[in-house]
Amino acid sequence: GLVKRIFNIEVVAADGDAEVWNSDVRFFHVNDVESGKHIASFYLDPYSRPADKRGGAWMDVCIGKSEACERDVPVAYLTCNGSPPVGDDTPSLMTFREVETLFHEFGHGLQHMLTTATVGDVAGINGVEWDAVELPSQFMENWCYDKPTVYGFAKHYETGEPLPEDMFEKLKEQKTYGAGMMACRQLYFGQMDMELHSAFDPTPAHEGEEGAETIFDVQ
């Protein structure tokens, strides 16, 4: 698998080793391949449940690594809102975006679980500069466009037929579709951020005076 290839770890199902809050939720251990040592664990709550679960996807800390607290095995929560199985005989048929989201959140989880820092305030996802918090998640997303990785799981659920080559090529091509517009969008965000922090005065006007400048005026 991918994580064995790049991190020399293996993910092992450990359902029943920990209490879960819904039957959809699964529990896994992360082991170091070379030593066989159990180094981390995580909960995976993969499916949408509109009645009792908010939208979006996120990773959170269940147990953080800390020498002071005698916690050596970090545990993560990985939560997504993917397409659930339909009926008793059809598995979850995830969209590509849902697969990408799972890889993204797993990237955050890996940063938490594979930390070697022993001081809680800087272990895992703690103490990371805001500009860098998305680095591991974006890194893992890139593997969704890596052929050996994709063809390790992208098969027809009934026939086992692999994803057609032309569809894989289209997946790669769509990654850069509209990239220029997205780059302009990010530049606009940066430009506005600098303007707000350097020139914007949020002080409200006194009674009887014209209204103060708002962030919408800056836009």
Side-chain angles (χ1 to χ4, degrees), residues 18 32 47 55 59 68 74 87-88 93 97 113-114 117 128 133 142-143 150 156 158 186 219:
D32 177 73
Y47 306 131
M59 171 265 160
D88 297 327
L93 301 178
R97 289 290 171 235
M113 293 186 286
L114 301 187
V128 179
V133 294
N142 288 330
W143 295 96
V150 172
H156 193 283
E158 289 179 321
Q186 291 304 124
Q219 280 183 307

Side-chain angles (χ1 to χ4, degrees), residues 110-144:
L110 286 170
Q111 184 176 27
H112 171 65
M113 293 186 286
L114 301 187
T115 186
T116 57
T118 57
V119 178
D121 285 346
V122 293
I125 63 172
N126 293 330
V128 179
E129 292 287 348
W130 276 86
D131 285 355
V133 294
E134 293 299 324
L135 192 152
S137 52
Q138 298 283 340
F139 170 77
M140 289 304 293
E141 278 187 37
N142 288 330
W143 295 96
C144 292

Side-chain angles (χ1 to χ4, degrees), residues 10-155:
E10 60 179 354
V11 176
V12 180
D15 298 303
D17 282 10
E19 185 179 359
V20 295
W21 54 94
N22 188 278
S23 58
D24 290 343
V25 180
R26 300 198 59 191
F27 189 64
F28 296 88
H29 290 322
V30 178
N31 299 331
D32 177 73
V33 170
E34 192 171 323
S35 66
K37 182 182 177 183
H38 172 213
I39 57 175
S41 296
F42 66 93
Y43 293 89
L44 175 63
D45 189 352
Y47 306 131
S48 173
R49 293 190 303 277
D52 61 3
K53 182 181 178 183
R54 68 178 172 90
W58 60 95
M59 171 265 160
D60 208 346
V61 174
C62 177
I63 298 174
K65 192 166 188 171
S66 169
E67 188 175 48
C69 296
E70 299 182 343
R71 294 174 177 171
D72 190 47
V73 179
V75 181
Y77 296 116
L78 304 182
T79 307
C80 299
N81 267 280
S83 304
V86 179
D88 297 327
D89 56 355
T90 305
S92 170
L93 301 178
M94 300 169 71
T95 66
F96 180 73
R97 289 290 171 235
E98 289 171 347
V99 173
E100 207 171 34
T101 298
L102 179 59
F103 273 63
H104 180 104
E105 299 308 330
F106 194 56
H108 287 304
L110 286 170
Q111 184 176 27
H112 171 65
M113 293 186 286
L114 301 187
T115 186
T116 57
T118 57
V119 178
D121 285 346
V122 293
I125 63 172
N126 293 330
V128 179
E129 292 287 348
W130 276 86
D131 285 355
V133 294
E134 293 299 324
L135 192 152
S137 52
Q138 298 283 340
F139 170 77
M140 289 304 293
E141 278 187 37
N142 288 330
W143 295 96
C144 292
Y145 300 91
D146 173 64
K147 193 170 185 178
T149 300
V150 172
Y151 278 83
F153 64 82
K155 299 176 176 64

Side-chain angles (χ1 to χ4, degrees), residues 184-196:
C184 287
R185 180 174 179 264
Q186 291 304 124
L187 289 169
Y188 166 72
F189 288 154
Q191 186 179 24
M192 184 173 178
D193 190 64
M194 289 188 286
E195 177 69 18
L196 288 172

